[in-house]
Amino acid sequence: MRGRFGPPPPDGGPRLQRSDGTRPQSGRPTLPGPATETVTLASGVRVEQLITGTGDPVTVFAHGLAGDIAGTRPLGSAVTGRRVFFHFRGHGRSDIPPGPWSFGDLATDLRGVADLSGATRALGVSMGAGALCRLIAETPDRFERAVFYLPAPLDGRRSDAAVQRLNRMLASVESGEAAMIADAVEAELPASVRNTPAGWSYLRQRVDQLQRDGLAVELETLWPEPAVPDENLLRAFRGRALVIGCEGDEVHPSGWAERLATLLRADLQMYDRPTVLWTNRQELRDRISVFLNS
């Protein structure tokens, strides 16, 4: 595929070769995930998506940079109605249109998926939250409810930690080495999870997905243009919003969560430490579902 890092593994499975004997050594492939489909948006871009649940309302879930469908599914596990998870351009099996890209392009992807499914609610994670902000800035009446989980800065400026994270991930996927990819993914896990069955399962799933699908080099072109050209446009949002941030997260500064909540007149939930999806998973899922289901 043009522009995508990461050839497929030579015989299909990740090889987590570690010196630590407590970690998985077999290289056994992960179990296959649920069947996805590829849909063509009004823009002509084809994206991979997964729909779960039945009935209304419909909620669309937008993942973060270098994220995937599997990583956003836990956030919607208790949300009623249909749940639409998808891969932005350059992720998973979605298309890689010619670059450079902007958050306007990501907002077009998100809008296209939402329009096809009739979604009236949305949740965005990090980069996905930025795309959701851009969409709302353009059409403030598009969603009735919106959740912004760990919103990244909207001004086009990234912290050193954010730059290093993307560089590390792209370099590891470009190498094609499962152990290098696992190191990059593991760096994002809390220490308490790294030597647990849940941590190993997550590592294997992510290594398998990134080796299989890779990441597009065009993702580096999303910056430095601001995600939203004028933050004040967000004040026109007509729905209800929930912003969720964390103290101590270098990639997703808590100040931006507070700033976004003010602009949207949103409910704000701040956690006292990062990696909340691992450390406060049940409470996080309950908070999101109560907001979206009410």
Side-chain angles (χ1 to χ4, degrees):
M1 296 182 182
R2 184 199 61 78
R4 192 188 293 275
F5 279 149
D11 55 6
R15 294 172 179 75
L16 298 180
Q17 297 177 358
R18 305 284 192 147
S19 58
D20 182 352
T22 65
R23 301 189 182 183
Q25 301 290 329
S26 68
R28 187 183 312 161
T30 56
L31 293 174
T36 60
E37 62 179 340
T38 300
V39 296
T40 301
L41 307 180
S43 63
V45 174
R46 294 172 302 169
V47 300
E48 182 182 14
Q49 72 172 21
L50 170 70
I51 299 179
T52 64
T54 59
D56 294 322
V58 181
T59 307
V60 61
F61 293 79
H63 63 78
L65 181 64
D68 64 353
I69 288 172
T72 53
R73 288 191 67 192
L75 299 173
S77 59
V79 174
T80 58
R82 278 179 293 154
R83 301 174 293 274
V84 183
F85 306 89
F86 76 100
H87 281 136
F88 280 110
R89 61 183 64 200
H91 296 78
R93 295 185 172 95
S94 294
D95 277 351
I96 309 174
W101 298 342
S102 69
F103 274 87
D105 296 318
L106 299 185
T108 297
D109 292 348
L110 175 56
R111 185 192 304 278
V113 173
D115 288 350
L116 276 181
S117 61
T120 58
R121 304 180 179 197
L123 181 149
V125 181
S126 187
M127 179 191 77
L132 180 55
C133 284
R134 179 63 172 261
L135 191 160
I136 286 175
E138 295 171 350
T139 48
D141 58 349
R142 179 59 187 80
F143 293 111
E144 297 172 358
R145 291 180 184 245
V147 178
F148 303 81
Y149 176 56
L150 300 181
L154 300 179
D155 60 0
R157 300 176 183 176
R158 293 187 293 162
S159 66
D160 290 342
V163 174
Q164 292 167 8
R165 175 186 179 273
L166 178 59
N167 290 343
R168 181 174 63 240
M169 187 65 72
L170 289 175
S172 69
V173 175
E174 183 182 23
S175 76
E177 294 294 330
M180 188 172 176
I181 298 172
D183 283 340
V185 174
E186 187 180 52
E188 301 177 8
L189 295 176
S192 60
V193 173
R194 292 178 186 175
N195 286 313
T196 67
W200 298 335
S201 176
Y202 177 78
L203 276 177
R204 284 186 172 176
Q205 178 269 320
R206 287 292 285 144
V207 170
D208 184 60
Q209 189 267 322
L210 288 168
Q211 278 201 311
R212 183 187 67 232
D213 300 329
L215 287 171
V217 297
E218 284 85 351
L219 291 171
E220 292 185 298
T221 68
L222 287 171
W223 293 271
E225 289 187 8
V228 177
D230 181 356
E231 294 172 23
N232 287 313
L233 293 172
L234 296 172
R235 298 183 186 277
F237 179 53
R238 300 175 186 176
R240 286 193 57 197
L242 169 64
V243 177
I244 301 173
C246 290
E247 300 288 349
D249 189 326
E250 294 181 286
V251 177
H252 312 99
S254 59
W256 271 102
E258 295 166 350
R259 189 168 173 175
L260 182 59
T262 298
L263 290 167
L264 296 170
R265 301 178 304 282
D267 298 336
L268 174 65
Q269 171 62 37
M270 293 295 298
Y271 289 91
D272 60 4
R273 55 180 173 170
T275 63
V276 63
L277 186 56
W278 290 98
T279 57
N280 295 81
R281 178 170 296 206
Q282 186 61 54
E283 199 276 340
L284 177 64
R285 290 188 299 189
D286 289 347
R287 186 171 297 276
I288 290 171
S289 62
V290 167
F291 175 79
L292 290 175
N293 294 344
S294 60

mmCIF file of all heavy atoms in Angstrom, residues 36-51 84-87 93-95 109 112-114 116-117:
data_model
loop_
_atom_site.group_PDB
_atom_site.id
_atom_site.type_symbol
_atom_site.label_atom_id
_atom_site.label_comp_id
_atom_site.label_asym_id
_atom_site.label_seq_id
_atom_site.Cartn_x
_atom_site.Cartn_y
_atom_site.Cartn_z
ATOM 1 N N THR A 36 -15.338 -6.876 10.268
ATOM 2 C CA THR A 36 -15.601 -5.491 9.906
ATOM 3 C C THR A 36 -16.038 -5.411 8.449
ATOM 4 O O THR A 36 -16.021 -6.415 7.729
ATOM 5 C CB THR A 36 -14.341 -4.627 10.112
ATOM 6 O OG1 THR A 36 -13.288 -5.146 9.295
ATOM 7 C CG2 THR A 36 -13.902 -4.641 11.568
ATOM 8 N N GLU A 37 -16.419 -4.234 8.024
ATOM 9 C CA GLU A 37 -16.787 -4.012 6.630
ATOM 10 C C GLU A 37 -16.125 -2.734 6.143
ATOM 11 O O GLU A 37 -15.736 -1.880 6.939
ATOM 12 C CB GLU A 37 -18.307 -3.907 6.483
ATOM 13 C CG GLU A 37 -18.904 -2.738 7.257
ATOM 14 C CD GLU A 37 -20.412 -2.623 7.085
ATOM 15 O OE1 GLU A 37 -20.939 -3.170 6.103
ATOM 16 O OE2 GLU A 37 -21.048 -1.963 7.929
ATOM 17 N N THR A 38 -15.986 -2.622 4.839
ATOM 18 C CA THR A 38 -15.445 -1.413 4.233
ATOM 19 C C THR A 38 -16.574 -0.670 3.544
ATOM 20 O O THR A 38 -17.318 -1.253 2.753
ATOM 21 C CB THR A 38 -14.335 -1.740 3.226
ATOM 22 O OG1 THR A 38 -13.278 -2.436 3.890
ATOM 23 C CG2 THR A 38 -13.769 -0.469 2.616
ATOM 24 N N VAL A 39 -16.727 0.614 3.857
ATOM 25 C CA VAL A 39 -17.778 1.432 3.250
ATOM 26 C C VAL A 39 -17.143 2.615 2.547
ATOM 27 O O VAL A 39 -16.073 3.093 2.938
ATOM 28 C CB VAL A 39 -18.789 1.919 4.308
ATOM 29 C CG1 VAL A 39 -19.525 0.740 4.933
ATOM 30 C CG2 VAL A 39 -18.106 2.747 5.394
ATOM 31 N N THR A 40 -17.792 3.081 1.497
ATOM 32 C CA THR A 40 -17.307 4.237 0.745
ATOM 33 C C THR A 40 -18.093 5.472 1.176
ATOM 34 O O THR A 40 -19.320 5.494 1.101
ATOM 35 C CB THR A 40 -17.473 4.021 -0.764
ATOM 36 O OG1 THR A 40 -16.750 2.846 -1.156
ATOM 37 C CG2 THR A 40 -16.927 5.211 -1.542
ATOM 38 N N LEU A 41 -17.382 6.482 1.631
ATOM 39 C CA LEU A 41 -18.017 7.705 2.105
ATOM 40 C C LEU A 41 -18.353 8.624 0.932
ATOM 41 O O LEU A 41 -17.904 8.409 -0.199
ATOM 42 C CB LEU A 41 -17.079 8.421 3.080
ATOM 43 C CG LEU A 41 -16.564 7.576 4.244
ATOM 44 C CD1 LEU A 41 -15.655 8.407 5.137
ATOM 45 C CD2 LEU A 41 -17.719 6.984 5.048
ATOM 46 N N ALA A 42 -19.107 9.665 1.216
ATOM 47 C CA ALA A 42 -19.479 10.620 0.171
ATOM 48 C C ALA A 42 -18.250 11.274 -0.439
ATOM 49 O O ALA A 42 -18.266 11.669 -1.617
ATOM 50 C CB ALA A 42 -20.413 11.676 0.757
ATOM 51 N N SER A 43 -17.161 11.365 0.301
ATOM 52 C CA SER A 43 -15.915 11.957 -0.192
ATOM 53 C C SER A 43 -15.174 11.036 -1.154
ATOM 54 O O SER A 43 -14.214 11.453 -1.808
ATOM 55 C CB SER A 43 -14.992 12.270 0.990
ATOM 56 O OG SER A 43 -14.632 11.061 1.665
ATOM 57 N N GLY A 44 -15.598 9.776 -1.227
ATOM 58 C CA GLY A 44 -14.922 8.792 -2.054
ATOM 59 C C GLY A 44 -13.903 7.963 -1.285
ATOM 60 O O GLY A 44 -13.391 6.967 -1.808
ATOM 61 N N VAL A 45 -13.600 8.341 -0.057
ATOM 62 C CA VAL A 45 -12.659 7.596 0.780
ATOM 63 C C VAL A 45 -13.358 6.354 1.332
ATOM 64 O O VAL A 45 -14.494 6.436 1.811
ATOM 65 C CB VAL A 45 -12.132 8.467 1.932
ATOM 66 C CG1 VAL A 45 -11.276 7.653 2.888
ATOM 67 C CG2 VAL A 45 -11.336 9.640 1.375
ATOM 68 N N ARG A 46 -12.685 5.230 1.278
ATOM 69 C CA ARG A 46 -13.213 3.989 1.839
ATOM 70 C C ARG A 46 -12.633 3.799 3.237
ATOM 71 O O ARG A 46 -11.423 3.911 3.423
ATOM 72 C CB ARG A 46 -12.856 2.788 0.968
ATOM 73 C CG ARG A 46 -13.510 2.809 -0.418
ATOM 74 C CD ARG A 46 -12.966 1.694 -1.279
ATOM 75 N NE ARG A 46 -11.510 1.820 -1.411
ATOM 76 C CZ ARG A 46 -10.730 0.870 -1.921
ATOM 77 N NH1 ARG A 46 -11.248 -0.277 -2.336
ATOM 78 N NH2 ARG A 46 -9.418 1.056 -2.016
ATOM 79 N N VAL A 47 -13.500 3.511 4.189
ATOM 80 C CA VAL A 47 -13.040 3.307 5.554
ATOM 81 C C VAL A 47 -13.572 1.985 6.085
ATOM 82 O O VAL A 47 -14.627 1.494 5.673
ATOM 83 C CB VAL A 47 -13.473 4.452 6.495
ATOM 84 C CG1 VAL A 47 -12.912 5.784 6.030
ATOM 85 C CG2 VAL A 47 -14.981 4.520 6.636
ATOM 86 N N GLU A 48 -12.804 1.423 7.006
ATOM 87 C CA GLU A 48 -13.188 0.185 7.681
ATOM 88 C C GLU A 48 -14.038 0.537 8.891
ATOM 89 O O GLU A 48 -13.690 1.436 9.660
ATOM 90 C CB GLU A 48 -11.934 -0.567 8.110
ATOM 91 C CG GLU A 48 -12.205 -1.899 8.786
ATOM 92 C CD GLU A 48 -10.931 -2.587 9.233
ATOM 93 O OE1 GLU A 48 -9.870 -1.921 9.268
ATOM 94 O OE2 GLU A 48 -10.983 -3.792 9.558
ATOM 95 N N GLN A 49 -15.137 -0.178 9.082
ATOM 96 C CA GLN A 49 -15.986 0.100 10.223
ATOM 97 C C GLN A 49 -16.552 -1.185 10.819
ATOM 98 O O GLN A 49 -16.576 -2.240 10.185
ATOM 99 C CB GLN A 49 -17.129 1.057 9.858
ATOM 100 C CG GLN A 49 -18.213 0.440 8.985
ATOM 101 C CD GLN A 49 -19.416 1.359 8.796
ATOM 102 O OE1 GLN A 49 -19.343 2.576 8.958
ATOM 103 N NE2 GLN A 49 -20.554 0.784 8.450
ATOM 104 N N LEU A 50 -17.017 -1.061 12.046
ATOM 105 C CA LEU A 50 -17.664 -2.152 12.771
ATOM 106 C C LEU A 50 -18.893 -1.584 13.448
ATOM 107 O O LEU A 50 -18.808 -0.565 14.136
ATOM 108 C CB LEU A 50 -16.716 -2.739 13.822
ATOM 109 C CG LEU A 50 -17.334 -3.736 14.809
ATOM 110 C CD1 LEU A 50 -17.690 -5.037 14.103
ATOM 111 C CD2 LEU A 50 -16.390 -3.987 15.983
ATOM 112 N N ILE A 51 -20.049 -2.223 13.262
ATOM 113 C CA ILE A 51 -21.290 -1.790 13.900
ATOM 114 C C ILE A 51 -21.737 -2.864 14.879
ATOM 115 O O ILE A 51 -21.840 -4.038 14.523
ATOM 116 C CB ILE A 51 -22.391 -1.515 12.869
ATOM 117 C CG1 ILE A 51 -21.964 -0.390 11.911
ATOM 118 C CG2 ILE A 51 -23.694 -1.135 13.569
ATOM 119 C CD1 ILE A 51 -22.985 -0.066 10.844
ATOM 120 N N VAL A 84 -21.089 2.631 16.254
ATOM 121 C CA VAL A 84 -20.334 2.562 15.006
ATOM 122 C C VAL A 84 -18.880 2.927 15.297
ATOM 123 O O VAL A 84 -18.576 4.064 15.684
ATOM 124 C CB VAL A 84 -20.917 3.524 13.945
ATOM 125 C CG1 VAL A 84 -20.159 3.382 12.631
ATOM 126 C CG2 VAL A 84 -22.402 3.252 13.746
ATOM 127 N N PHE A 85 -17.995 1.961 15.129
ATOM 128 C CA PHE A 85 -16.556 2.163 15.314
ATOM 129 C C PHE A 85 -15.902 2.134 13.936
ATOM 130 O O PHE A 85 -16.279 1.317 13.087
ATOM 131 C CB PHE A 85 -15.973 1.059 16.190
ATOM 132 C CG PHE A 85 -16.669 0.894 17.511
ATOM 133 C CD1 PHE A 85 -17.760 0.049 17.647
ATOM 134 C CD2 PHE A 85 -16.246 1.602 18.629
ATOM 135 C CE1 PHE A 85 -18.420 -0.110 18.859
ATOM 136 C CE2 PHE A 85 -16.888 1.460 19.857
ATOM 137 C CZ PHE A 85 -17.980 0.601 19.964
ATOM 138 N N PHE A 86 -14.922 2.986 13.701
ATOM 139 C CA PHE A 86 -14.304 3.014 12.377
ATOM 140 C C PHE A 86 -12.836 3.376 12.484
ATOM 141 O O PHE A 86 -12.362 3.849 13.527
ATOM 142 C CB PHE A 86 -15.037 4.004 11.459
ATOM 143 C CG PHE A 86 -14.732 5.452 11.748
ATOM 144 C CD1 PHE A 86 -13.821 6.150 10.968
ATOM 145 C CD2 PHE A 86 -15.353 6.115 12.801
ATOM 146 C CE1 PHE A 86 -13.540 7.492 11.226
ATOM 147 C CE2 PHE A 86 -15.082 7.453 13.061
ATOM 148 C CZ PHE A 86 -14.165 8.142 12.284
ATOM 149 N N HIS A 87 -12.114 3.157 11.393
ATOM 150 C CA HIS A 87 -10.716 3.563 11.290
ATOM 151 C C HIS A 87 -10.611 4.795 10.409
ATOM 152 O O HIS A 87 -11.087 4.798 9.266
ATOM 153 C CB HIS A 87 -9.867 2.443 10.686
ATOM 154 C CG HIS A 87 -9.522 1.359 11.652
ATOM 155 N ND1 HIS A 87 -9.609 0.017 11.331
ATOM 156 C CD2 HIS A 87 -9.091 1.415 12.932
ATOM 157 C CE1 HIS A 87 -9.231 -0.696 12.383
ATOM 158 N NE2 HIS A 87 -8.925 0.124 13.360
ATOM 159 N N ARG A 93 -7.653 -0.880 7.780
ATOM 160 C CA ARG A 93 -7.785 -1.165 6.344
ATOM 161 C C ARG A 93 -8.439 -0.010 5.597
ATOM 162 O O ARG A 93 -8.905 -0.183 4.468
ATOM 163 C CB ARG A 93 -8.581 -2.451 6.152
ATOM 164 C CG ARG A 93 -7.881 -3.698 6.694
ATOM 165 C CD ARG A 93 -8.671 -4.960 6.372
ATOM 166 N NE ARG A 93 -7.926 -6.155 6.723
ATOM 167 C CZ ARG A 93 -8.046 -6.811 7.876
ATOM 168 N NH1 ARG A 93 -8.880 -6.362 8.786
ATOM 169 N NH2 ARG A 93 -7.340 -7.895 8.131
ATOM 170 N N SER A 94 -8.465 1.148 6.199
ATOM 171 C CA SER A 94 -9.029 2.317 5.520
ATOM 172 C C SER A 94 -8.052 2.846 4.472
ATOM 173 O O SER A 94 -6.855 2.551 4.495
ATOM 174 C CB SER A 94 -9.352 3.416 6.535
ATOM 175 O OG SER A 94 -10.396 3.012 7.405
ATOM 176 N N ASP A 95 -8.593 3.649 3.552
ATOM 177 C CA ASP A 95 -7.796 4.196 2.451
ATOM 178 C C ASP A 95 -6.697 5.135 2.936
ATOM 179 O O ASP A 95 -6.725 5.643 4.068
ATOM 180 C CB ASP A 95 -8.702 4.984 1.498
ATOM 181 C CG ASP A 95 -9.411 4.099 0.491
ATOM 182 O OD1 ASP A 95 -9.080 2.898 0.408
ATOM 183 O OD2 ASP A 95 -10.312 4.621 -0.208
ATOM 184 N N ASP A 109 -13.958 12.467 7.254
ATOM 185 C CA ASP A 109 -14.109 11.031 7.492
ATOM 186 C C ASP A 109 -15.179 10.774 8.551
ATOM 187 O O ASP A 109 -16.066 9.931 8.373
ATOM 188 C CB ASP A 109 -12.787 10.409 7.959
ATOM 189 C CG ASP A 109 -11.714 10.388 6.886
ATOM 190 O OD1 ASP A 109 -12.033 10.649 5.706
ATOM 191 O OD2 ASP A 109 -10.549 10.120 7.233
ATOM 192 N N GLY A 112 -18.636 11.596 7.324
ATOM 193 C CA GLY A 112 -19.117 10.615 6.369
ATOM 194 C C GLY A 112 -19.642 9.362 7.038
ATOM 195 O O GLY A 112 -20.696 8.828 6.660
ATOM 196 N N VAL A 113 -18.921 8.881 8.045
ATOM 197 C CA VAL A 113 -19.369 7.693 8.777
ATOM 198 C C VAL A 113 -20.657 7.988 9.537
ATOM 199 O O VAL A 113 -21.601 7.189 9.543
ATOM 200 C CB VAL A 113 -18.262 7.210 9.746
ATOM 201 C CG1 VAL A 113 -18.773 6.093 10.635
ATOM 202 C CG2 VAL A 113 -17.047 6.742 8.973
ATOM 203 N N ALA A 114 -20.704 9.162 10.181
ATOM 204 C CA ALA A 114 -21.894 9.535 10.941
ATOM 205 C C ALA A 114 -23.111 9.679 10.027
ATOM 206 O O ALA A 114 -24.219 9.259 10.384
ATOM 207 C CB ALA A 114 -21.641 10.841 11.692
ATOM 208 N N LEU A 116 -23.649 8.207 7.081
ATOM 209 C CA LEU A 116 -24.068 6.900 6.571
ATOM 210 C C LEU A 116 -24.891 6.122 7.593
ATOM 211 O O LEU A 116 -25.841 5.422 7.241
ATOM 212 C CB LEU A 116 -22.848 6.063 6.170
ATOM 213 C CG LEU A 116 -22.254 6.280 4.783
ATOM 214 C CD1 LEU A 116 -21.062 5.347 4.576
ATOM 215 C CD2 LEU A 116 -23.303 6.027 3.698
ATOM 216 N N SER A 117 -24.522 6.245 8.856
ATOM 217 C CA SER A 117 -25.186 5.460 9.904
ATOM 218 C C SER A 117 -26.337 6.204 10.563
ATOM 219 O O SER A 117 -27.091 5.615 11.334
ATOM 220 C CB SER A 117 -24.166 5.082 10.978
ATOM 221 O OG SER A 117 -23.619 6.236 11.586
#
